[in-house]
Amino acid sequence: MSLIDNAHRMAPDDLAAHRQEAWARQRAYVMQNSEFYRDLWQGQTPPEDLRDLPDLSLSDKAQLRISQAGHPPYGNYLASGVRQAVRLHRTSGTTGQAMNLALSARDCTITETVGGRCQASAGLTPDHTVVHCLNYQMWMGGLTDHMTLQATGAMVVPFGVGSTELLVRTIQEVGITAISCTPSYPAVLERVIEQKFPGLTPRDLGLKLGLFGGEAGLDDPAFRQRLRDVWGMEPRNANYGVSDVFCNFAAQCEHDTRLHFMAADVLHVELIDPDTATPLPLEPDQTGEMVLTHLARECQPLVRFRTGDIITVDETEPCRCCCTGFRFRVVGRSDDMVVVRGLNLFPTMVAAVLNEFNELSGDYRIHLDTPPPYDSLPVQAELAKGQAADSGLAERVSAAIKAKLGATARVTLLPAGSFELTEGKTKRVIREY
């Protein structure tokens, strides 16, 4: 199986032999069964030692899309027979063409076990009743994340998205104590509560724990505090993953809001420079693009897969919670990065500035209607409910972005409720060219 009980609490040296043995099996399996990687490697034999993986070519999402287009529906990186697959998911397509994801029974078990480690680390226990509000319609975040929640022993209510009024009533009637959703979804609930449930406040629902994933936002202390103040629940970054690899392999704990890597027994991580693809050391204060290699995957194994996620490693020493995986923050996605006069800017950086203004709701969009280069950053920011923009607010927001990020911003203020609230992932950078 390649899984080890409590691997996320084992010292890296104690896991080293297991990881090497797992790679030896996976290496032979991929060479024999993956036409995609045989073509990519062009006769090169993958190294025996994991430390030598940078000798191999990188793979990426664009290549997988071409593979699925040319060899539908699963691509020629399907290494198992179709009969071995027992579950089919589809990616959300937020950053491009939706992809078909096939899982074997073994793949499902490993995925759910690793995800269960994450949900438990974030505080979910058998004493909780958790409502799961991610899309069940083929998206990996629906059923698969449901199973990771269930792996903790908690009672899981499979609600999905839509029917928000029914959700509010269900939370009240069932006595639900935790919610699993995207960070932007509570704003949807707040609006429905205000409009449809006179006299009811979010705090009245009695939620104690919020398990969030699928979007950025939880790294911002101001956003976390707002969730505590409005809902009376503890927000936890419980669900970080890459759909093509594992739906959830990192989460925070009660002691540290940084993400803890929890899949060292079945997943190998590298960092590279996103521009040059040069390998970078995985050490504190290092920022780079995360590259992942399956150490145990049957249906669609990936080797040196570029995730597009830019992360900063903060700690490599064990946490107080006993997790030994490195701790990190997601800076942003390479395809969401906007370069303004040589400065690399990510939506999360803009959000952190906007959340410092009580006059703003925190919701925003960056509309790009021309190709780069850019001399300034066009930001549309939404006013908080009941707030009217004074004559100098836009200028103050622009000045704060300049002072904190170094970039000139063209800030447009919009009335409260201008942006459509989404039940799935919210796209912040809109490219209209």
Side-chain angles (χ1 to χ4, degrees), residues 92-385:
S92 61
T94 302
T95 58
Q97 171 190 327
M99 301 292 292
N100 294 316
L101 307 175
L103 297 173
S104 69
R106 176 175 177 254
D107 294 339
C108 290
T109 298
I110 293 173
T111 297
E112 291 153 17
T113 300
V114 171
R117 295 171 184 170
C118 299
Q119 305 284 8
S121 173
L124 192 65
T125 72
D127 294 328
H128 286 102
T129 298
V130 56
V131 62
H132 185 43
C133 301
L134 294 179
N135 185 3
Y136 278 77
Q137 192 172 2
M138 295 190 72
W139 186 32
M140 184 74 77
L143 175 62
T144 302
D145 281 349
H146 173 121
M147 299 305 292
T148 70
L149 295 165
Q150 192 169 296
T152 68
M155 175 181 282
V156 187
V157 180
F159 198 88
V161 296
S163 303
T164 312
E165 292 180 53
L166 176 60
L167 173 60
V168 173
R169 292 195 295 271
T170 302
I171 293 173
Q172 292 177 302
E173 294 167 3
V174 177
I176 288 169
T177 55
I179 186 170
S180 167
C181 60
T182 61
S184 60
Y185 189 56
V188 177
L189 279 172
E190 289 168 29
R191 186 173 293 182
V192 170
I193 290 170
E194 179 185 17
Q195 295 173 349
K196 303 293 184 179
F197 296 86
L200 186 72
T201 71
R203 274 181 170 270
D204 295 334
L205 294 182
L207 294 173
K208 303 301 181 185
L209 180 65
L211 302 166
F212 297 104
E215 295 173 347
L218 264 290
D219 285 333
D220 182 8
F223 181 71
R224 284 178 179 266
Q225 191 57 48
R226 183 187 180 280
L227 287 171
R228 293 188 186 100
D229 293 342
V230 173
W231 288 86
M233 66 181 172
E234 182 60 30
R236 297 277 168 82
N237 204 349
N239 189 347
Y240 170 77
V242 177
S243 294
D244 301 274
V245 184
F246 281 113
C247 69
N248 189 3
F249 57 83
Q252 71 165 99
C253 71
E254 64 176 318
H255 306 292
D256 192 334
T257 60
R258 276 88 58 94
L259 291 164
H260 301 39
F261 177 64
M262 298 196 180
D265 49 341
V266 289
L267 191 61
H268 179 69
V269 182
E270 300 174 63
L271 288 185
I272 62 169
D273 183 299
D275 296 321
T276 66
T278 302
L280 300 171
L282 202 157
E283 61 186 20
D285 300 321
Q286 186 65 258
T287 297
E289 181 180 349
M290 181 183 278
V291 173
L292 299 174
T293 295
H294 282 123
L295 300 181
R297 178 57 66 104
E298 290 181 333
C299 279
Q300 292 171 316
L302 299 177
V303 179
R304 300 207 76 211
F305 178 70
R306 297 187 67 157
T307 65
D309 282 358
I310 310 300
I311 70 167
T312 294
V313 177
D314 288 320
E315 300 283 352
T316 54
E317 293 298 315
C319 178
R320 288 169 58 195
C321 71
C322 298
C323 178
T324 55
F326 68 93
R327 283 167 276 166
F328 66 99
R329 291 170 289 120
V330 180
V331 178
R333 284 196 54 79
S334 57
D335 46 17
D336 271 347
M337 185 175 73
V338 182
V339 181
V340 178
R341 288 186 175 271
L343 295 171
N344 296 340
L345 303 178
F346 294 93
T348 51
M349 301 162 67
V350 176
V353 177
L354 298 181
N355 282 329
E356 294 179 357
F357 289 83
N358 293 329
E359 302 94 328
L360 303 178
S361 71
D363 207 353
Y364 67 97
R365 301 291 186 273
I366 298 170
H367 276 270
L368 303 173
D369 54 12
T370 62
Y374 301 110
D375 292 326
S376 61
L377 190 69
V379 178
Q380 295 180 345
E382 186 182 81
L383 291 165
K385 185 186 176 186

